[in-house]
């Protein structure tokens, strides 16, 4: 994904205007408190080290939030702050030995693939198919466990499909993992961006084999703060903090203080995001599914659509490269989410809305083999 | 080290005033441009992702700096931006397989030990002894190579000893590593903090087996920005950038922009630091060596002293724990720098000067088994 971004930047350097639909790089204005607090800490010269486990006030704020959501078992010692991407590698490194098997429900976030490959783990992919809305079912859990993995990563609300798994399916997964002695990492980065449904967090099951992780990047529109967290058993959390100490010492005070300030206004902020993204999603998905050549499942959360391009006769790399070079539109090839997805692309619709609309139009034009058209959204209206 | 910090924070929570000499957490005011630029970027809502290899303007600024220092071979593609601590793990992970051997010249920075242990590497320690001023000599290079390592880490100017190795010794090390097909990581974090001597950077040898790394934490007094960089062969640098993409995606734009702004004023800023730290170092080292019970080699760079506590009859953990609990002074036990150094402690003198003076006094009191005395620096004067 970052290679696509680099190539797009190159085109831009040569004067091209590129439509960015490749990264989940939200352009929504962050909460004023998140920016102001970081600035105030910088002004106060708070540019030193802090605890490897995270800024104490942020750990406490996360703890209180989950207590408020009903997970009363969560204490500060159950929370570690770390870049969310890094937590994936840290978790796998902690619970797995090289050549151990990890199950990914696919399509799956690229970092899961990169992190497992990096550590030398064997990946068993359990596909969650479009015909079932990319949802997790009890039979998928049994398929996953039959691969005899050391760990499973589950990601609801999902990137790239936007699928939100049911409480029953998630509880079943966690309980069965516990029974079979399998570690479970629940990546809940998009949990607070469910459009209509309430999200069920695996924090509520409180099992020692379950680590829940999330990020402030998406729910506060601040990927550049590079801050996330994990919640779990005290022992696992302490080992993750030790890993922080080895790898990165700690995170900046000012970004963490900004996230703590944002947490207190998170629900009102994400309510706006959910309404906005839900509306955009439905409109774009309709446009794509009405194209006659592309199709997608309508997301239930987040700001991605995973689009089936089979009917174009092109594979994902051909499609993405031509789209970027000829239509100046950047999207992510399906294979980033698993080797089986060469007939898919992912688009992110969290950018400037006019760019997103134009980008989607170009994708459809390209799929149909049509020349570029501009301003062709008369029926689209304001989203 | 971070455990000492956590315990110190606990004491502080209970009302104690703790003298912090444990971490290289500089309290000098950073350059205005470094803070202002970060704030301006935050105000401009530049809170998105950037390139995994680093913010382009920062890579270019680093490149230009080294070009200006005479290393004309350095191009943007030879520079990757990453947290300096993480670069150590990334480098070792890249060039070594588990069970490979790595040579550390000891005493050695704790992250080298933690990172090698984390990856499962075998460490061969080559001690650089106090009798030789903790300096690297040609015979130490041969001892290192005779261990048949995959990689060697060299750290001049050194943490914890403050030793600055000669150009001849460093050139010899790099050349011999090249001849023997051994990777060399040159950690030059304190290079710009040499008090009197000019520093020789291994960037100047331009060998494909040599990776030079540094950090902005110490030379710009901004450890909380968590930003460093590596310079090397294009291929290695590209692989380090890919590792960034897997582990942390990228670093914040605003911290990187702040570092770029700082680079342009680095020399005038570090001139002040060098004068200040050189003066403090000489005075503290005299006080310690005149104590009759503690001794140290006078540092040539940075803000650490590695102190021999043998004569106290206490090992480092006993000394450090009692010093923290009874004298409310935090220092780092010698074993953090290698298992052989249980008769050493390290102090950092980059904190508030009054705290440093009082902390050193308490260390001497504790070593002598004396009760606490306060304001006992009549001969010390203003530093």
């Amino acid at each position: 994904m970052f290679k696509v971004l680099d190539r797009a930047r190159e085109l831009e350097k040569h004067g091209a205007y590129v439509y960015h639909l490749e990264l989940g790089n939200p352009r929504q204005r962050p909460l004023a408190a998140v920016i102001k607090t970081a600035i105030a800490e910088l002004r106060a010269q708070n540019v030193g080290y802090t605890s490897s486990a995270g800024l104490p006030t942020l750990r406490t704020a996360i703890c209180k939030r989950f207590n408020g959501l009903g997970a009363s078992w969560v204490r500060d010692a159950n929370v570690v702050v770390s870049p969310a991407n890094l937590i994936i590698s840290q978790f796998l490194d902690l619970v797995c030995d090289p050549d151990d098997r990890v199950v990914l429900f696919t399509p799956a976030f690229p970092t899961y693939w990169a992190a497992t490959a990096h550590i030398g783990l064997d990946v068993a992919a359990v596909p969650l198919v479009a015909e079932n809305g990319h949802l997790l079912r009890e039979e998928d859990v049994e398929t996953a466990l039959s691969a005899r993995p050391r760990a499973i990563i589950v990601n609801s609300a999902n990137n790239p499909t936007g699928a939100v798994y049911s409480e029953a399916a998630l509880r079943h997964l966690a309980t069965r993992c516990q029974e079979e002695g399998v570690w479970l990492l629940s990546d809940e980065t998009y949990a607070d961006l469910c459009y209509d449904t309430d999200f069920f967090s695996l924090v509520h099951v409180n099992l020692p084999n379950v680590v829940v992780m999330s990020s402030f990047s998406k729910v506060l529109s601040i990927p550049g703060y590079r801050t996330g967290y994990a919640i779990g058993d005290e022992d696992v959390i302490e080992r993750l903090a030790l890993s922080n100490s080895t790898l990165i010492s700690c995170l900046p005070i000012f970004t963490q203080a900004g996230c703590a300030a944002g947490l207190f206004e998170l629900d009102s902020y994400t309510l706006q995001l959910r309404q906005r993204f839900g509306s955009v999603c439905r409109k774009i998905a309709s446009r794509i599914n009405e194209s006659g050549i592309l199709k997608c499942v309508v997301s239930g959360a987040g700001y991605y659509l995973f689009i089936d391009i089979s009917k174009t006769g092109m594979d994902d790399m051909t499609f993405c490269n031509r789209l970027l070079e000829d239509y100046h539109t950047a999207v992510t090839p399906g294979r980033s989410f698993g080797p089986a997805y060469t007939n898919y692309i992912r688009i992110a619709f969290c950018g400037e809305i006019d760019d997103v609309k134009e980008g989607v139009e170009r994708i459809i034009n390209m799929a149909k083999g049509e020349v570029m058209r501009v301003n062709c959204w008369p029926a689209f209206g304001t989203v």
Side-chain angles (χ1 to χ4, degrees), chain A:
Chain A
M1 290 193 296
F2 284 85
K3 290 227 159 181
V4 174
L5 183 65
D6 285 346
R7 175 62 189 145
R9 296 260 183 266
E10 244 178 75
L11 288 172
E12 283 166 338
K13 228 193 260 174
H14 292 89
Y17 188 94
V18 175
Y19 299 89
H20 287 283
L21 283 73
E22 77 279 34
L23 274 187
N25 200 6
R27 294 311 300 156
Q28 284 63 42
R29 184 172 282 271
L31 281 164
V34 175
I35 302 289
K36 273 188 185 163
T37 305
I39 289 175
E41 294 288 329
L42 278 164
R43 279 234 179 81
Q45 315 272 338
N46 282 331
V47 293
Y49 294 107
T50 182
S51 170
S52 295
L55 189 69
T57 52
L58 178 56
R59 291 174 84 189
T60 302
I62 294 167
C63 181
K64 281 191 178 157
R65 176 168 173 82
F66 279 89
N67 294 163
L69 293 170
S72 57
W73 68 273
V74 180
R75 298 276 170 275
D76 289 13
N78 300 111
V79 180
V80 64
V81 179
S82 191
N85 248 30
L86 189 59
I87 292 171
I88 297 162
S89 290
Q90 291 177 305
F91 168 84
L92 292 172
D93 188 48
L94 204 65
V95 306
C96 296
D97 296 312
D99 300 323
D100 274 353
R101 182 165 298 147
V102 172
V103 163
L104 301 180
F105 297 110
T106 61
F109 180 49
T111 298
Y112 308 152
W113 296 97
T116 47
H118 181 245
I119 300 174
L121 302 172
D122 180 38
V123 173
V126 175
L128 303 185
V129 295
E131 290 66 30
N132 297 323
H134 297 299
L135 292 166
L136 179 72
R137 299 161 307 163
E138 295 201 358
E139 61 209 79
D140 301 315
V141 173
E142 294 313 313
T143 308
L145 289 170
S146 69
R148 311 213 61 75
R150 174 79 64 147
I152 296 178
I153 302 181
V154 65
N155 173 214
S156 173
N158 188 267
N159 172 8
T161 66
V164 182
Y165 308 160
S166 70
E167 174 174 343
L170 288 167
R171 278 193 186 277
H172 180 75
L173 172 65
T175 311
R176 290 289 294 124
C177 282
Q178 164 75 353
E179 285 168 5
E180 302 290 333
V182 172
W183 283 96
L184 180 63
L185 179 65
S186 179
D187 179 353
E188 304 184 356
T189 293
Y190 298 90
D192 290 299
L193 298 180
C194 293
Y195 309 146
D196 307 308
T197 48
D198 275 346
F199 179 78
F200 176 73
S201 168
L202 279 175
V203 166
H204 295 293
V205 304
N206 184 16
L207 288 173
N209 62 311
V210 177
V211 173
V212 170
M213 60 166 283
S214 191
S215 168
F216 294 107
S217 297
K218 311 301 176 174
V219 293
L220 291 175
S221 308
I222 47 164
Y225 275 45
R226 312 302 312 128
T227 310
Y229 58 90
I231 299 177
D233 186 73
E234 270 192 38
D235 176 58
V236 181
I237 294 303
E238 193 181 340
R239 287 156 73 200
L240 288 171
L242 188 64
S243 163
N244 273 356
S245 168
T246 298
L247 295 178
I248 55 167
S249 303
C250 62
L251 289 182
I253 291 170
F254 41 96
T255 48
Q256 293 187 77
C259 293
L263 260 186
F264 296 107
E265 298 178 49
L266 184 76
D267 291 326
S268 56
Y269 182 71
T270 53
L271 178 63
Q272 289 179 352
L273 293 186
R274 291 199 304 270
Q275 288 170 343
R276 179 188 177 79
F277 291 137
S279 160
V280 174
C281 179
R282 281 183 290 271
K283 287 171 180 167
I284 293 179
S286 295
R287 185 93 184 104
I288 285 164
N289 285 322
E290 286 160 8
S291 70
I293 187 158
L294 301 174
K295 60 180 178 178
C296 63
V297 173
V298 185
S299 297
Y303 35 64
Y304 304 112
L305 283 168
F306 200 53
I307 303 173
D308 184 340
I309 59 167
S310 309
K311 280 198 184 168
T312 67
M314 278 178 269
D315 80 345
D316 59 338
M317 291 309 295
T318 311
F319 192 96
C320 290
N321 287 332
R322 280 187 52 191
L323 188 68
L324 182 56
E325 300 300 329
D326 298 345
Y327 291 73
H328 291 179
T329 301
V331 301
T332 304
R335 69 185 66 187
S336 299
F337 305 91
Y341 297 95
T342 53
N343 56 331
Y344 277 89
I345 60 166
R346 187 198 71 175
I347 65 166
F349 52 83
C350 53
E352 303 291 350
I353 187 62
D354 289 335
D355 283 12
V356 169
K357 290 195 292 188
E358 178 60 23
V360 169
E361 203 55 34
R362 287 172 180 232
I363 291 164
I364 294 172
N365 285 349
M366 156 98 178
K368 290 183 166 175
E370 289 172 8
V371 290
M372 275 196 284
R373 288 180 303 157
V374 220
N375 300 324
C376 47
W377 288 83
F380 198 93
T382 312
V383 288

